[in-house]
């Protein structure tokens, strides 16, 4: 029986929410560390790991049970080749569309510091694309069995 699309969409939304929560809790842990709040930093760090595990579980469900695509890009994912291709797709969109558009808007609104930050992120995403493309091309290279045979 094929799952209802609303179920797949719900799991995809749950993944995005858990992933965002994991990132927020990691940030909160760093802030607590900077403030010298070791116990709060520990709690946030542990919760970030727990929430990240839930997000990973949602990805497993999407991949294995629901036949869904990468929630971030809509591309197939699962093995390293597909994961690299999905990551390239996502970072390429961010480098060519999202961050340049946001930076242009920040310039128009007169928020130069924000525009500079967004332009830095655009450059970072371009670097990510280059690294991911290199990793993808290395997958195509023949690998040795490790026994000294060419």
């Amino acid at each position: 029986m094929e799952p209802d699309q609303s179920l797949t969409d719900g799991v995809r939304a749950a993944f995005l929410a858990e992933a965002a929560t994991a990132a927020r809790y990691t940030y909160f842990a760093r802030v607590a560390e900077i403030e010298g709040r070791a116990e709060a930093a520990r709690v946030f760090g542990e919760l970030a790991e727990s929430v990240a595990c839930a997000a990973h579980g949602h990805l497993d469900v999407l991949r294995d049970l629901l036949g869904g695509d990468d929630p971030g890009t809509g591309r197939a994912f699962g093995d390293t080749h597909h994961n690299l291709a999905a990551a390239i797709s996502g970072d390429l969109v961010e480098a060519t569309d999202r961050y340049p558009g946001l930076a242009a808007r920040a310039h128009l609104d007169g928020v130069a510091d924000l525009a500079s930050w967004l332009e830095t992120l655009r450059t970072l995403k371009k670097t990510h694309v280059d690294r991911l493309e290199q990793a993808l091309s290395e997958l195509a290279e023949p690998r040795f069995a490790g026994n000294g045979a060419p």
Side-chain angles (χ1 to χ4, degrees), residues 16-62:
L16 293 170
E18 295 289 3
T21 299
R24 286 183 18 256
Y25 285 4
T26 299
Y27 173 80
F28 295 165
R30 288 189 181 150
V31 169
E33 286 174 6
I34 291 167
E35 293 175 348
R37 309 286 187 179
E39 180 60 19
R42 185 186 65 73
V43 169
F44 276 126
E46 289 174 1
L47 292 176
E49 286 183 36
S50 175
V51 172
C53 286
H56 295 167
H58 290 319
L59 287 175
D60 288 341
V61 166
L62 285 168

Side-chain angles (χ1 to χ4, degrees), residues 48-117:
E49 286 183 36
S50 175
V51 172
C53 286
H56 295 167
H58 290 319
L59 287 175
D60 288 341
V61 166
L62 285 168
R63 181 194 65 210
D64 299 336
L65 300 177
L66 299 177
D69 295 328
D70 172 25
T73 64
R75 299 207 34 167
F77 76 110
D79 65 7
T80 300
H81 182 271
H82 284 104
N83 294 345
L84 285 166
I88 290 166
S89 175
D91 278 359
L92 195 56
V93 167
E94 291 175 352
T96 59
D97 294 336
R98 177 174 292 136
Y99 288 122
L102 289 170
R105 177 61 193 260
H107 280 297
L108 284 174
D109 289 354
V111 189
D113 288 343
L114 175 57
S116 177
W117 167 245

Side-chain angles (χ1 to χ4, degrees), residues 4-17 58 61-62 66:
D4 185 88
Q5 185 61 41
S6 65
L7 178 60
T8 301
D9 291 345
V11 173
R12 189 175 291 121
F15 162 76
L16 293 170
H58 290 319
V61 166
L62 285 168
L66 299 177

